[in-house]
Amino acid sequence: MEAIGVIADFIGIAGAVFALFAWLQARRLRETIERENERRNRKVTVVLQSGGRRVELPVEMRRAELSRAEILGRIGMIPMREKGARFSLSYLHTPEFWRQINQVLESEQDALLTIPCTDDELKQFDLPR
């Protein structure tokens, strides 16, 4: 009978140790998730740059929204000089553009995504001087 009491005590202590371990793991996981959510909510500013002229897209994005499609969509919302025309920026077809997106996605702080343009590429947009 005494052996059953010892076994029960051991099981109780082992259960408490495992419960403490599970609580610590859950706490670490919650902190990790909170940090990742904060990182994903950081702002990303997209800028078209030609020489000394910089055109910042009107609304900054959250890092969670950052994708090639979203960037192209936001650039496509800039009014064009030739109504109905589609914009063309050669930098958007380069591996460097993809690297820059990946770098911004992996960063921890607010980020700036700069898209270099030629003067002719920038002139296709109906931008205020």
Side-chain angles (χ1 to χ4, degrees):
M1 206 52 154
E2 191 177 302
I4 293 176
V6 171
I7 293 172
D9 289 344
F10 177 75
I11 291 173
I13 292 171
V17 168
F18 285 123
L20 177 64
F21 177 73
W23 176 76
L24 289 173
Q25 288 296 97
R27 189 172 144 195
R28 273 193 221 124
L29 182 60
R30 186 177 60 244
E31 289 171 356
T32 301
I33 290 171
E34 287 173 4
R35 273 195 312 274
E36 179 61 15
N37 284 338
E38 285 177 18
R39 190 186 75 78
R40 290 175 48 88
N41 284 324
R42 295 277 185 185
K43 301 296 181 196
V44 176
T45 305
V46 179
V47 173
L48 302 177
Q49 183 169 353
S50 173
R53 184 158 185 219
R54 292 171 50 100
V55 177
E56 186 174 318
L57 295 187
V59 178
E60 55 202 11
M61 291 185 231
R62 292 180 11 213
R63 182 171 280 114
E65 301 167 336
L66 185 68
S67 69
R68 181 179 181 274
E70 186 66 26
I71 293 167
L72 294 177
R74 298 230 181 158
I75 293 172
M77 293 176 68
I78 300 172
M80 300 294 288
R81 286 190 184 203
E82 184 182 323
K83 302 300 179 201
R86 180 164 160 68
F87 71 91
S88 175
L89 301 173
S90 59
Y91 181 75
L92 300 178
H93 305 288
T94 64
E96 183 57 35
F97 177 62
W98 287 101
R99 281 189 209 101
Q100 193 176 8
I101 288 176
N102 288 334
Q103 185 178 29
V104 168
L105 287 172
E106 293 170 1
S107 68
E108 297 291 327
Q109 301 300 318
D110 290 351
L112 176 68
L113 180 70
T114 303
I115 300 173
C117 305
T118 64
D119 286 335
D120 289 336
E121 287 175 335
L122 209 52
K123 286 179 186 175
Q124 66 188 325
F125 299 107
D126 188 14
L127 300 169
R129 294 281 165 198

